[in-house]
Amino acid sequence: MVITTTIAADSNELLHSTFASRYVRTPVPRFKMPERSMPKEAACQMINDELMLDGNPRLNLASFVTTWMEPECNDLIMTSINKNYVDMDEYPVTTELQNRCVNMIAHLFHAPVGDDETAIGVGTVGSSEAIMLAGLAFKRKWQNKRKAEGKTYDKPNIVTGANVQVCWEKFARYFEVELKEVKLTEGYYVMDPVKAVEMEIGWDTPIHVDAASGGFIAPFVYPDLVWDFRLPLVKSINVSGHKYGLVYAGVGWVIWRTEEDLPEELIFHINYLGSDQPTFTLNFSKGSSQIIAQYYQFLRLGFEGYKRIIENCMDNTRVLKEGLEKTGRFGIVSKDVGVPLVAFSLKDSSKYTVFDMSESLRRFGWIIPAYTMPADAKHIAVLRVVVREDFSRSLAERLSSNIEQVLEEMDSLPIRTSTKSATVSGELENAEGKKVDKKTEREIQEEIIQYWRRLVDGKRIGVC
């Protein structure tokens, strides 16, 4: 009788609308698991109601991460969502698809492998894990070399630009590696190779390329740019499949130049799942969906498809940039050659700042970050728009229109008593406090080129 009564009560609840049921009359559980179950319809509705307050992923222009895929790929993802990637013996085809992806990326990056040879690499949950693995390989190789030479091996270091993603700082802190940062300068917001060389010791310094965003851009639109394994000192490269690899969040890749660049002692061999399985990851269990989705994109788009998509992203980037320039109110900080994004600052922020603009654009649905540049350029504040595959020309034009509308509205507001400085200064001060003209970007680039030429000319004798 008790069971029958309970069923009858629950059935009676299902006769009513979710919003008329008892489940929406009490606060949503936040700290403790509820004592009783609820109908699946009610649980789904309550969660959906809260999720409505999230931003629209496609209007989130802060992120490089893919927010749209074809319905056919979505179906493949749902079909394989219950497969555990690490069960290689149980899901051999999924493992084979991962290996195919590694081989394709390795050839895309000009790794020295033959057409029928297996490349060295692994799928990860993103570039952060990929960077940790590559960094560990570097550290272990360095330690082994120092041990063989009878030298100390307790103080490894790595040289990066101050503009790198926070995962590099995590790697250095978690794995006890000294991080040497090359500070940025106004007008030059990438790592200065001249300063980087000054921090390095010796000419046999291995290079890891963090190609999280650009790895799936350069091969398709800048084929003559030599940045990958064509450079002999490049030993490993990471790339994010969930950025311009065009897959939803949760997949990255790391590729090593040769088998010798990945120390064998870092690879674990397990057999309790049915067969010997070599593994080099920081995670164990993870889904197979993103690996399968990556292979779908490679198979579906091919080189031609990726090239067209990236070219379209670059075209829409130019449309947005031109719209901003027409206002006469912004300084464009980003470059035309690079990843498809536009970073721009207000020429005059005496009345309002880019932070104010970011907040005002929210009411149109746009999520556009405002932030200050890294060390030694922190006085520069910018807005940044990342142009992804699903950011169409019509959206670029609409965003330009909304930005103009925000400018007009904020111009009509009274001047604030204090604002956060966010302008690009046209003058610099020397050590004596005298104002001097800053060097142009072209002058900085020419200076770097001449420096490298002198450096190389001086080292040619006796260098193989």
Side-chain angles (χ1 to χ4, degrees):
M1 289 299 295
V2 174
I3 295 177
T4 303
T5 302
T6 303
I7 293 175
D10 288 346
S11 298
N12 186 53
E13 287 283 354
L14 294 176
L15 293 176
H16 302 290
S17 163
T18 297
F19 296 109
S21 69
R22 61 185 169 87
Y23 304 106
V24 297
R25 299 173 188 169
T26 56
V28 176
R30 288 180 171 83
F31 303 103
K32 297 176 64 176
M33 186 182 295
E35 294 293 330
R36 297 187 59 188
S37 302
M38 69 171 64
K40 57 183 182 293
E41 297 85 357
C44 184
Q45 184 67 60
M46 292 169 67
I47 294 173
N48 268 325
D49 288 350
E50 293 206 69
L51 289 175
M52 287 192 304
L53 300 176
D54 268 346
N56 184 335
R58 289 190 58 188
L59 297 182
N60 177 13
L61 305 184
S63 176
F64 288 91
V65 176
T66 297
T67 53
W68 180 88
M69 296 188 74
E70 293 177 323
E72 292 77 8
C73 191
N74 290 337
D75 292 340
L76 278 175
I77 288 173
M78 293 309 299
T79 301
S80 56
I81 202 166
N82 59 349
K83 289 184 180 180
N84 190 350
Y85 168 76
V86 299
D87 293 343
M88 299 179 183
D89 192 53
E90 287 78 358
Y91 307 122
V93 176
T94 298
T95 302
E96 169 63 19
L97 297 187
Q98 185 239 210
N99 295 338
R100 293 179 190 177
C101 288
V102 167
N103 290 331
M104 290 179 182
I105 297 170
H107 282 282
L108 192 67
F109 295 167
H110 299 94
V113 293
D115 292 340
D116 56 351
E117 293 180 346
T118 300
I120 307 300
V122 67
T124 62
V125 294
S127 276
S128 292
E129 182 189 7
I131 284 168
M132 301 286 177
L133 298 178
L136 281 172
F138 267 7
K139 180 180 179 181
R140 187 56 58 90
K141 285 273 293 184
W142 178 83
Q143 287 177 325
N144 290 343
K145 180 181 178 181
R146 299 281 292 186
K147 288 179 184 178
E149 295 172 347
K151 299 178 180 178
T152 59
Y153 54 89
D154 60 332
K155 294 181 179 180
N157 68 75
I158 188 167
V159 178
T160 72
N163 57 319
V164 295
Q165 215 263 2
V166 69
C167 61
W168 284 100
E169 296 179 43
K170 289 183 179 180
F171 164 74
R173 188 178 303 176
Y174 294 167
F175 296 104
E176 299 180 325
V177 175
E178 179 189 1
L179 181 65
K180 295 183 177 181
E181 285 190 340
V182 178
K183 305 303 181 184
L184 307 187
T185 57
E186 186 175 332
Y188 199 78
Y189 303 114
V190 294
M191 183 173 71
D192 185 337
V194 174
K195 295 179 181 178
V197 169
E198 292 171 354
M199 292 184 176
E200 295 172 2
I201 300 176
W203 281 85
D204 190 24
T205 303
I207 296 173
H208 172 84
V209 178
D210 182 356
S213 301
F216 282 122
I217 294 176
F220 304 110
V221 293
Y222 306 118
D224 296 330
L225 180 65
V226 180
W227 62 275
D228 50 19
F229 290 118
R230 286 171 288 183
L231 297 172
L233 289 180
V234 172
K235 304 300 183 182
S236 54
I237 302 173
N238 70 275
V239 65
S240 291
H242 58 222
K243 292 181 180 176
Y244 290 102
L246 308 180
V247 178
Y248 292 137
V251 62
W253 303 92
V254 57
I255 311 295
W256 283 272
R257 184 184 191 86
T258 65
E259 188 174 358
E260 288 72 29
D261 295 307
L262 177 58
E264 173 63 29
E265 62 264 34
L266 293 178
I267 302 173
F268 288 83
H269 294 265
I270 57 174
N271 61 12
Y272 66 82
L273 292 177
S275 67
D276 179 68
Q277 299 174 30
T279 175
F280 179 39
T281 63
L282 296 181
N283 298 283
F284 193 67
S285 294
K286 64 180 178 181
S288 299
S289 298
Q290 271 70 13
I291 298 292
I292 294 169
Q294 184 73 84
Y295 184 65
Y296 169 88
Q297 293 290 52
F298 287 167
L299 197 64
R300 163 79 172 94
L301 297 173
F303 190 95
E304 176 192 32
Y306 270 93
K307 179 178 173 64
R308 288 183 176 179
I309 288 172
I310 300 304
E311 286 177 341
N312 191 50
C313 289
M314 300 304 293
D315 288 342
N316 290 331
T317 300
R318 283 188 285 272
V319 169
L320 177 60
K321 178 190 172 186
E322 289 169 2
L324 294 170
E325 288 176 329
K326 285 179 181 178
T327 67
R329 307 289 294 277
F330 299 105
I332 306 299
V333 177
S334 53
K335 309 305 177 188
D336 292 334
V337 177
V339 296
L341 64 81
V342 184
F344 52 102
S345 60
L346 278 167
K347 291 181 178 179
D348 179 9
S349 48
S350 60
K351 197 170 185 180
Y352 48 86
T353 70
V354 292
F355 301 95
D356 299 321
M357 290 197 64
S358 175
E359 184 177 347
S360 295
L361 286 166
R362 281 268 185 165
R363 79 174 191 274
F364 297 103
W366 302 110
I367 302 173
I368 301 177
Y371 59 92
T372 57
M373 301 298 280
D376 287 10
K378 288 184 177 180
H379 58 292
I380 308 297
V382 299
L383 289 160
R384 188 189 73 181
V385 174
V386 176
V387 177
R388 300 188 301 270
E389 176 188 9
D390 55 347
F391 185 76
S392 63
R393 178 173 183 134
S394 62
L395 286 178
E397 293 172 346
R398 176 58 63 91
L399 176 57
S400 295
S401 176
N402 291 155
I403 288 175
E404 289 186 42
Q405 186 175 342
V406 167
L407 287 172
E408 292 175 2
E409 293 173 353
M410 300 190 80
D411 284 340
S412 65
L413 298 176
I415 299 177
R416 295 188 178 187
T417 54
S418 63
T419 57
K420 187 171 183 178
S421 177
T423 60
V424 179
S425 174
E427 297 179 319
L428 299 174
E429 291 186 356
N430 60 17
E432 291 75 33
K434 297 180 180 179
K435 290 188 176 181
V436 295
D437 292 332
K438 69 176 183 181
K439 294 181 180 178
T440 66
E441 179 187 347
R442 182 62 179 268
E443 288 173 334
I444 294 174
Q445 291 175 345
E446 287 294 332
E447 184 178 293
I448 290 172
I449 291 172
Q450 293 302 321
Y451 175 91
W452 274 96
R453 284 176 178 168
R454 292 195 302 271
L455 198 62
V456 172
D457 288 342
K459 292 289 183 178
R460 280 178 178 165
I461 299 176
V463 176
C464 296

